[in-house]
Amino acid sequence: MITAVALVPAASAVAGTTNGDKEALVAAKEYLSTQAFSLKGLIAQLDSPYGGQFTVAQATYGAEHTGANWDKEALDSAKEYLSSQAFSLKGLIAQLDSPDGGQFTVAQANYGVDRTGANWDKEAYLAAKEYLSSQAFSLNGLIAQLDSPYGGQFTVAQATYGAHKAY
């Protein structure tokens, strides 16, 4: 008696992955090798018409299967932001957590920011210099801008230090 045996490719049948899923995973790993991303940010990049142009399902598969440590990605992203602009602790957490910024979870943003080793007094000074390079401020106005929830979001002590040093 002869028995029929069906041959099925193991990877796609068992895991349900498609070639698109696999390509999205390759693209996700390539993106992570050059820039820090959150899970949501990476999915958005992979799905973007200006990025990978994968379907949301493929982008999600790719991002979720990279093996990325999202806390480390948040730390790397926080360092990237600090290398180009001055931030307060609160401001950097807000940037990392923002839907228009890093799109990290609040916990991931806190993890990353807490481990940057940033000197927040120095960041306040750099922010004060940035403000003064583009507009005129009185000393008290600069402190208020640095401390404002709509401005630098520094503590009063940090804002005072930064403004006095930059002024």
Side-chain angles (χ1 to χ4, degrees):
M1 171 179 226
I2 299 176
T3 311
V5 176
L7 297 176
V8 178
S12 61
V14 174
T17 58
T18 65
N19 284 338
D21 294 337
K22 293 173 190 173
E23 291 299 316
L25 176 57
V26 169
K29 288 181 178 182
E30 287 174 1
Y31 280 121
L32 288 173
S33 73
T34 61
Q35 185 178 344
F37 282 92
S38 65
L39 176 62
K40 285 183 182 179
L42 185 55
I43 291 169
Q45 180 66 29
L46 290 166
D47 179 46
S48 168
Y50 306 107
Q53 299 183 15
F54 292 97
T55 66
V56 173
Q58 292 166 336
T60 301
Y61 176 89
E64 288 179 345
H65 288 84
T66 60
N69 176 332
W70 303 114
D71 287 337
K72 182 184 176 308
E73 292 296 315
L75 173 58
D76 291 346
S77 184
K79 288 179 178 180
E80 286 174 12
Y81 280 118
L82 287 172
S83 73
S84 64
Q85 186 178 343
F87 281 92
S88 67
L89 183 138
K90 284 183 182 178
L92 187 52
I93 290 170
Q95 180 66 30
L96 289 171
D97 180 44
S98 168
D100 298 321
Q103 300 183 44
F104 288 95
T105 66
V106 173
Q108 292 163 346
N110 277 296
Y111 178 93
V113 171
D114 288 345
R115 286 160 179 78
T116 61
N119 177 327
W120 303 114
D121 285 338
K122 179 182 173 190
E123 291 298 314
Y125 163 65
L126 294 173
K129 284 180 30 177
E130 288 174 12
Y131 281 122
L132 289 172
S133 71
S134 63
Q135 50 191 319
F137 283 93
S138 67
L139 180 61
N140 287 338
L142 183 56
I143 292 169
Q145 180 66 27
L146 289 167
D147 178 48
S148 169
Y150 305 106
Q153 300 183 45
F154 289 95
T155 66
V156 173
Q158 292 163 349
T160 301
Y161 172 87
H164 278 278
K165 184 165 176 153
Y167 212 72

